[in-house]
């Protein structure tokens, strides 16, 4: 990946840089973010980052038995491995303590949280380092579907090369081709991107409209048929009554 193919968006090095980076990309995408059926439309990066962290931890807590693709280990096992590595606070001794610890605003996120956010947003998260004018993959990140530069989330990881608080840091990378496409769509009054969720929602609405029109037409036809049948029956009864009465009246006048 060429360095010049991306816009580098710097974020705060306050321990929440991973979530700040995701928030920066989602805000730049310009569309509301849907997570578990809820729309997050917060445009303040810090507030959105806090919401994303909370949703991520909630997903991890609910999916401890989820098997990570490629390594076939569960989220619970990955967390325990992180605890056993000794790089966390000494008070973090089990999975529950880890999730509580990660709920703090300044707890630095890593690969486990990448799993959570990738699944929550249903988007690949690809992480790179800057090496000799290019971006190289460092083994971080997670893919939940086929790669797509217009849909994937790209992050830069400094691997400790930062003056900010903390020894590790994430920043957001935004493809210039995507930014150009967004600006073109905005000038034409279109949405910046069409996600599978939005497309599905549109097709459901379209289907519902068709179904409603169809049911309305069907009801109208049934109602018309019922009315016609009713009118025909009433007319037949009327005619029958008239034809029955007339001969009686005539014969009555003839006799008397």
């Amino acid at each position: 990946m060429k360095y010049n193919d991306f816009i580098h968006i710097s974020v705060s090095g306050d321990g929440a840089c991973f979530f700040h980076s995701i928030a920066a990309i989602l805000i730049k995408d310009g569309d509301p973010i849907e997570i578990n059926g809820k729309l997050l439309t917060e445009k303040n990066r810090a507030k959105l980052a806090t919401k994303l962290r909370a949703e991520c931890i909630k997903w991890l807590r609910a999916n401890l038995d989820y098997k990570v693709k490629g390594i076939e280990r569960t989220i619970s096992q990955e967390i325990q491995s992180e605890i056993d590595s000794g790089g966390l606070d000494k008070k973090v001794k089990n999975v529950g303590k880890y999730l509580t610890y990660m709920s703090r605003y300044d707890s630095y996120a890593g690969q486990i949280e990448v799993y959570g956010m990738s699944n929550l947003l249903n988007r690949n998260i690809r992480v790179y380092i800057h090496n000799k004018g290019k971006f190289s993959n460092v083994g971080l990140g997670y893919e939940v579907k086929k790669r797509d530069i217009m849909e994937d989330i790209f992050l830069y990881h400094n691997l400790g090369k930062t003056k900010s608080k903390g020894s590790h840091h994430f920043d957001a990378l935004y493809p210039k081709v995507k930014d150009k496409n967004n600006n073109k769509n905005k000038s034409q009054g279109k949405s910046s991107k069409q996600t599978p969720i939005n497309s599905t929602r549109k097709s459901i609405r379209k289907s519902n409209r068709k179904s409603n029109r169809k049911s309305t037409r069907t009801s109208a036809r049934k109602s018309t048929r019922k009315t016609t049948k009713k009118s025909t029956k009433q007319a037949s009864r009327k005619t029958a009554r008239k034809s029955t009465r007339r001969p009686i009246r005539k014969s009555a006048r003839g006799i008397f």
Side-chain angles (χ1 to χ4, degrees):
M1 307 291 286
K2 293 181 181 178
Y3 183 83
N4 291 331
D5 289 340
F6 291 87
I7 298 169
H8 193 136
I9 306 171
S10 296
V11 301
S12 303
D14 57 0
C17 55
F18 171 75
F19 297 105
H20 283 310
S21 297
I22 300 290
I25 289 169
L26 295 179
I27 289 171
K28 194 163 179 61
D29 280 346
D31 284 345
I33 307 104
E34 185 166 337
I35 296 178
N36 292 337
K38 293 189 299 184
L39 285 179
L40 303 181
T41 54
E42 182 62 65
K43 297 301 180 184
N44 180 296
R45 188 194 291 177
K47 287 184 179 179
L48 180 55
T50 301
K51 287 182 179 180
L52 292 174
R53 180 189 286 272
E55 291 295 333
C56 181
I57 301 307
K58 189 188 293 183
W59 186 92
L60 292 172
R61 197 182 297 277
N63 292 274
L64 292 173
D65 293 328
Y66 170 85
K67 284 192 176 180
V68 180
K69 294 177 184 177
I71 61 174
E72 297 307 311
R73 284 163 56 86
T74 65
I75 293 292
S76 182
Q77 289 171 327
E78 285 289 278
I79 291 175
Q80 192 58 53
S81 179
E82 183 70 17
I83 294 169
D84 295 342
S85 69
L88 299 173
D89 190 308
K90 290 181 180 179
K91 293 180 181 178
V92 181
K93 297 179 180 180
N94 56 50
V95 173
K97 293 283 187 183
Y98 175 88
L99 294 172
T100 301
Y101 168 77
M102 280 307 305
S103 298
R104 284 171 27 185
Y105 179 86
D106 60 348
S107 294
Y108 182 82
Q111 183 60 41
I112 293 166
E113 289 65 47
V114 169
Y115 297 144
M117 284 310 307
S118 185
N119 276 284
L120 266 174
L121 299 173
N122 192 32
R123 294 171 70 173
N124 300 330
I125 296 179
R126 297 160 66 179
V127 184
Y128 295 87
I129 61 169
H130 188 205
N131 183 26
K132 297 179 181 179
K134 292 183 179 181
F135 283 122
S136 304
N137 188 275
V138 290
L140 291 172
Y142 194 59
E143 294 182 8
V144 290
K145 56 186 178 182
K146 188 177 179 180
R147 289 186 177 189
D148 182 353
I149 194 169
M150 303 298 280
E151 182 69 12
D152 294 353
I153 290 173
F154 296 87
L155 300 178
Y156 165 74
H157 195 281
N158 71 336
L159 283 180
K161 299 174 184 177
T162 180
K163 294 179 181 179
S164 301
K165 180 185 175 182
S167 59
H168 301 290
H169 186 69
F170 285 104
D171 272 335
L173 298 174
Y174 205 81
K176 288 181 179 178
V177 64
K178 184 177 179 180
D179 189 56
K180 186 177 178 181
N181 184 65
N182 289 351
N183 292 332
K184 182 181 176 182
N185 285 338
K186 282 177 185 176
S187 66
Q188 294 175 352
K190 297 177 181 178
S191 174
S192 58
K193 67 184 180 70
Q194 290 293 333
T195 64
I197 290 172
N198 290 339
S199 300
T200 303
R201 194 184 296 127
K202 280 187 176 180
S203 64
I204 290 171
R205 283 200 298 263
K206 192 174 180 181
S207 174
N208 286 341
R209 283 198 296 270
K210 282 183 178 179
S211 176
N212 288 336
R213 283 199 295 270
K214 190 176 179 182
S215 61
T216 303
R217 285 197 297 268
T218 304
S219 299
R221 283 197 297 269
K222 283 182 178 178
S223 177
T224 304
R225 281 199 293 267
K226 280 182 180 178
T227 306
T228 306
K229 283 179 182 177
K230 191 175 180 182
S231 301
T232 305
K233 282 180 180 177
Q234 287 174 345
S236 298
R237 288 197 201 103
K238 224 178 206 180
T239 307
R241 282 198 298 270
K242 283 183 180 179
S243 60
T244 306
R245 287 170 188 158
R246 279 172 189 163
I248 294 171
R249 283 176 185 160
K250 280 182 181 178
S251 59
R253 281 199 293 271
I255 294 169
F256 295 99

